[in-house]
Amino acid sequence: MKKILGAAHLHSTHSPDGACSLAEIRGLLLKKNIQCAFMSEHPESFDEKKTRTYIQECARLSDDQFLFIPGFEIPYQNAHIVCLGVYQYTPFLDGLATIQRLVDAGAVAIMAHPHRNRFAVHSRLADILSGIEIWNGHYDGTMAPRWRSYRLWQTLVEKKERFFAFAGFDFHGFHHQKGPRLIITAHSLTHKEMLASLRDGLFSIAGGARSFGSRPRFLAAEAYRMRIASAWSLGILAIIKIGGVL
C-alpha cells in the first residue's frame, strides 16, 4: 500500500464556470505532487456526445504518473452532490434518481458545501451518500474545515457507520489552487483502487497546518482551536468578497 495525493471537487472548461482546461489542471496539480484529480463538472450542458468527449479526454491525459477520475456535481433540491467515477452518459432528469443510478454504477456520492443547503440532508439522500464535504477550499478557506459541516457529519455518522468526512478544492480557476488535499491509501494509481479507497474511508485530509482522518474525532482543545480557525477563515473570506476579489 502507498500514499497518493489527490484533489477533489474540480471543474474544468467542460463546465460553464471553469477557467482551466484538463491539461492545465494536470500541470498545476503535478507541480504540487498531486497525482489524482477527482473531477466534478456541472452536468447541465452535457449530452451523450459531450459526456463521451469529456471522459475520453480524462483518459487521454491520464498515465502512470497522473489519473483523472471523471465525475459530475449533480443538483438535488437545494444541494449539490459530487458523484466521482462516472464513465457513461446518464440523463439528468431527477436529482435523486440520477444519483442513485450513478452510485449503482459504481460512483462515490458526496454532499458538497452543505452550508448551501442550510446543513439539511434528506434521509433518502443520506442513505446513498458516502459522506459530506466538511472542508471546501472555496467556501471555507484554507485554514480549517467549517465547524458546522463537521458537526453535521458527526450527527450523520451516528446513523450510518460507513460515512466519511471529505474535503475538496471546489476548483474553478487559477485562484483556487490551495484547497485541502486527500492523502489516499491504495495499492496503485488506478480508477478501481482510488474509488475503492474513498468508498472505504482509506484516506486522510491535509490542509494548512492540519491533517486528520476520514472519521475525525477532535479532543476538546483541538476542537476549540479548529472552531476559532474556521471562524477566522470565514471572516477573512467575507472581507475579501466584499472587496470584490472573489
Side-chain angles (χ1 to χ4, degrees), residues 235-246:
I236 290 173
L237 283 175
I239 292 171
I240 291 173
K241 289 176 180 178
I242 290 173
V245 178
L246 295 179

Side-chain angles (χ1 to χ4, degrees), residues 111-121 131-136 139-140 144-157 163-167 212 216 218 226-227 230 234:
M111 173 177 269
H113 36 62
H115 73 284
R116 292 188 57 183
N117 199 42
R118 298 184 178 181
F119 303 98
V121 182
I132 64 170
E133 188 181 64
I134 70 166
W135 193 350
N136 179 292
Y139 288 106
D140 303 335
R146 186 181 292 249
W147 179 251
R148 286 191 63 187
S149 296
Y150 169 68
R151 294 290 291 156
L152 173 63
W153 173 81
Q154 281 188 311
T155 300
L156 294 171
V157 78
F163 196 81
F164 304 108
F166 288 87
F212 48 87
F218 300 112
M226 193 176 78
R227 292 180 69 177
S230 174
L234 292 174

Side-chain angles (χ1 to χ4, degrees), residues 71-224:
F72 291 93
E73 186 173 2
I74 312 297
Y76 172 64
Q77 295 183 355
N78 294 320
H80 282 178
I81 311 303
V82 171
C83 292
L84 308 175
V86 179
Y87 301 99
Q88 60 183 16
Y89 174 67
T90 299
F92 303 103
L93 302 176
D94 173 77
L96 189 61
T98 297
I99 296 161
Q100 184 67 69
R101 284 196 298 270
L102 295 176
V103 170
D104 290 344
V108 176
I110 304 156
M111 173 177 269
H113 36 62
H115 73 284
R116 292 188 57 183
N117 199 42
R118 298 184 178 181
F119 303 98
V121 182
H122 191 282
S123 59
R124 289 178 60 202
L125 174 63
D127 287 342
I128 59 177
L129 292 176
S130 289
I132 64 170
E133 188 181 64
I134 70 166
W135 193 350
N136 179 292
H138 176 52
Y139 288 106
D140 303 335
T142 59
M143 296 174 63
R146 186 181 292 249
W147 179 251
R148 286 191 63 187
S149 296
Y150 169 68
R151 294 290 291 156
L152 173 63
W153 173 81
Q154 281 188 311
T155 300
L156 294 171
V157 78
E158 292 177 358
K159 303 173 184 177
K160 184 177 180 180
E161 183 179 355
R162 290 174 59 81
F163 196 81
F164 304 108
F166 288 87
F169 279 47
D170 207 348
F171 178 95
H172 289 80
F174 294 102
H175 54 299
H176 292 152
Q177 294 187 48
K178 297 182 179 180
R181 304 169 303 285
L182 303 179
I183 305 173
I184 303 157
T185 301
H187 289 288
S188 59
L189 184 63
T190 64
H191 292 267
K192 181 178 179 180
E193 285 280 324
M194 293 295 98
L195 293 171
S197 291
L198 294 192
R199 199 175 291 113
D200 293 338
L202 298 177
F203 64 90
S204 58
I205 296 168
R210 287 177 168 77
S211 63
F212 48 87
S214 61
R215 294 171 62 87
R217 302 289 184 183
F218 300 112
L219 297 177
E222 175 58 21
Y224 176 77

Side-chain angles (χ1 to χ4, degrees), residues 36-74:
C36 188
F38 297 93
M39 303 303 298
S40 56
E41 307 293 1
H42 296 297
E44 290 81 0
S45 65
F46 278 78
D47 55 17
E48 187 170 1
K49 180 180 179 182
K50 183 174 179 179
T51 301
R52 186 167 57 250
T53 299
Y54 161 55
I55 293 171
Q56 288 174 346
E57 187 177 358
C58 284
R60 180 174 57 81
L61 290 170
S62 297
D63 51 32
D64 60 354
Q65 298 298 315
F66 189 89
L67 180 66
F68 276 110
I69 304 284
F72 291 93
E73 186 173 2
I74 312 297

